[in-house]
Amino acid sequence: MPSNRRHFLKQLGGLAAGFGAASTGLSFITASNDIQTNANALGNNDAAAPLFFTISLAQWSLHRKLFAKEMDNLDFPAVSKNTYGISVVEYVNTFFKDKAKDEKYLAKLLNRCKDNGVKNHLIMCDGEGDLGDLDVTKRTQAVENHYKWVDAAKFLGCTSIRVNAYGAGGSEEVQKSAIDGLSKLGEYAAKTGINVIVENHGSFTSNGEWLAKVMKTVNRKNVGTLPDFGNFCIKREDGQLWGTKCIEEYDRYKGVAEMMPYAKGVSAKTHDFDEQGNCIETDYERMLKVVRAAGFKGYVGIEYEGDKLSEEEGIKKTKALLERVGASIK
C-alpha cells in the first residue's frame, strides 16, 4: 500500500469503536467472501486475452484528486468503471473516515456501485491504532477501533479489510503482540464473514518471513495477507516508517512468495515506466509468475503511486501492463 500514506495519516487518532453489526437487508448485497475462486466469476477485465486474475482499482491511486477535493469518495465507483473499465474497487478509509457507522451514507455508496455495475472488494484501514502495540490496553483499543470497519465492509459487500500490524519494539515482541491483535480482530470479523488482511507496509511487516510466521501462528482462515509489489523497506533513516531514505530493503520477489500462501488479494504497485510500458522498479513478468505459481486466482489491485505521470495516465499504464503480461502467463 502507499509508501506515503503513513505520513498523511500520522495525526489520525482512533475513532470511536464498536457498534452492532451493520444492516445487510439490502437485497443486492451478494458478494462472496472467498476470493480464491475462478477469476471469471469475480468480475470482468477489458483485456483481449483471459487473465488468471481479476483487475481491481485501489482508491489510493487517485489520492491526489481526493485530497484536493477534485473527486469525492462517492464518485469512485463510477470513475473506476467509466474511466478505466474496472468493475472491482478497493477503498481507503481516510476518504470517508467519519462515515463507517453512517448507514445512509454507506447505502448511498452501495447504490452508486449498483448503478455502475461495480463490486466492492476491500477497505484499507489506517489511523486506527497499532495491532502490534506492546501495550495491551492500546492494542485492545486498536482492535476495537477496527470493528466499525469490519461492519462497514460487511454492509458494502466487501470481502476484506486491510489492516496494519505495526508496533514499537523488538521484532519478536511486536510479532507476539501482532499475533494477539490479529487473532482477536479475526475472531470478531469471522462472525460477519469478513477477512482481515495485512499488507507489507513498512518496518517488520515488510519482512516476508516475519509476516508469514505471524500468519502461520494466527492460523485463522479469515486472517491473511495483501502482498504489495513495493513497500519492502524494513528500515529507514531516523527510524521513520515513511518519507525518509530507505537504508534496508527486503527482496520483493522473495517477500511476495512468502506471503502468497496467505494472500486474499494482491496489490500491483507502480511508480515509473520505461518507453515500452514496463514498470521500472518491478519486473512484472517475474512477479506475476510468483503470484501464478501460488495458485492465486483472485483480485490484483492497481495502485499507481508515481508522480511523473498523472494519476489517470499511471492507472491506465498499470492496467495495460497487467493485461499484457498477465495474458502471457499460463
Side-chain angles (χ1 to χ4, degrees):
M1 248 16 320
S3 59
N4 59 351
R5 184 179 302 155
R6 184 75 174 184
H7 176 71
F8 279 111
L9 302 174
K10 63 182 180 180
Q11 299 300 322
L12 290 180
L15 302 177
F19 78 118
S23 167
T24 57
L26 293 170
S27 61
F28 48 87
I29 303 177
T30 58
S32 167
N33 286 311
D34 183 3
I35 69 169
Q36 300 298 321
T37 55
N38 190 298
N40 291 332
L42 298 176
N44 295 313
N45 295 312
D46 297 333
L51 307 177
F52 70 86
F53 55 87
T54 297
I55 294 175
S56 54
L57 179 61
Q59 192 173 31
W60 190 256
S61 297
L62 294 159
H63 70 274
R64 291 197 293 270
K65 283 185 178 295
L66 286 154
F67 279 122
K69 306 299 182 184
E70 296 173 5
M71 175 181 166
D72 185 77
N73 182 63
L74 291 171
D75 300 327
F76 181 47
V79 169
S80 180
K81 184 63 176 288
N82 299 326
T83 302
Y84 306 107
I86 299 173
S87 58
V88 183
V89 296
E90 306 175 7
Y91 298 95
V92 179
N93 71 339
T94 306
F95 302 117
F96 60 123
K97 61 181 180 295
D98 58 340
K99 304 296 186 183
K101 296 190 286 186
D102 187 338
E103 290 194 19
K104 289 184 178 179
Y105 179 89
L106 296 178
K108 184 182 294 186
L109 179 58
L110 196 53
N111 271 311
R112 296 286 183 94
C113 294
K114 181 184 178 184
D115 292 343
N116 289 280
V118 170
K119 173 182 170 60
N120 295 321
H121 170 31
L122 64 83
I123 303 175
M124 299 179 184
C125 301
D126 297 298
E128 296 293 358
D130 296 341
L131 293 172
D133 200 304
L134 302 190
D135 185 310
V136 65
T137 300
K138 292 180 180 178
R139 186 168 68 249
T140 299
Q141 185 63 62
V143 169
E144 293 177 355
N145 286 347
H146 285 83
Y147 287 174
K148 60 184 174 292
W149 293 110
V150 170
D151 296 334
K154 178 65 176 180
F155 190 102
L156 290 171
C158 296
T159 65
S160 312
I161 64 167
R162 192 279 283 138
V163 303
N164 294 302
Y166 297 135
S171 173
E172 292 185 4
E173 293 176 303
V174 175
Q175 190 173 64
K176 182 178 178 180
S177 295
I179 289 167
D180 177 69
L182 288 167
S183 295
K184 290 176 178 175
L185 181 56
E187 181 179 2
Y188 177 86
K191 299 173 184 177
T192 60
I194 295 297
N195 298 316
V196 174
I197 59 179
V198 182
E199 179 187 1
N200 46 306
H201 212 190
S203 189
F204 301 126
T205 70
S206 290
N207 181 316
E209 184 178 2
W210 185 94
L211 189 54
K213 185 177 179 180
V214 169
M215 294 297 119
K216 184 177 181 179
T217 307
V218 171
N219 192 30
R220 293 194 64 96
K221 184 178 180 181
N222 73 316
V223 176
T225 60
L226 179 68
D228 185 301
F229 294 170
N231 292 356
F232 279 102
C233 183
I234 58 179
K235 188 175 182 180
R236 294 182 181 274
E237 289 179 341
D238 304 322
Q240 299 298 312
L241 275 171
W242 311 113
T244 57
K245 182 180 179 181
C246 181
I247 57 177
E248 185 178 353
E249 188 167 4
Y250 200 80
D251 183 275
R252 65 186 62 203
Y253 306 99
K254 179 176 183 288
V256 169
E258 290 167 332
M259 288 186 281
M260 282 309 302
Y262 311 97
K264 297 184 183 297
V266 171
S267 185
K269 175 70 61 60
T270 55
H271 285 87
D272 296 322
F273 301 86
D274 63 19
E275 292 181 356
Q276 289 71 46
N278 295 309
C279 178
I280 291 175
E281 61 274 5
T282 300
D283 181 337
Y284 262 62
E285 182 176 1
R286 181 180 175 186
M287 191 65 87
L288 287 177
K289 283 181 177 179
V290 171
V291 174
R292 176 64 164 168
F296 183 82
K297 296 181 180 179
Y299 298 123
V300 174
I302 292 173
E303 189 172 60
Y304 171 68
E305 207 178 55
D307 54 17
K308 292 182 179 179
L309 300 175
S310 68
E311 291 176 326
E312 182 173 344
E313 290 177 299
I315 292 169
K316 289 181 176 180
K317 277 187 173 292
T318 306
K319 183 170 184 268
L321 176 62
L322 283 171
E323 291 173 340
R324 173 168 54 83
V325 177
S328 71
I329 298 174
K330 305 301 181 183

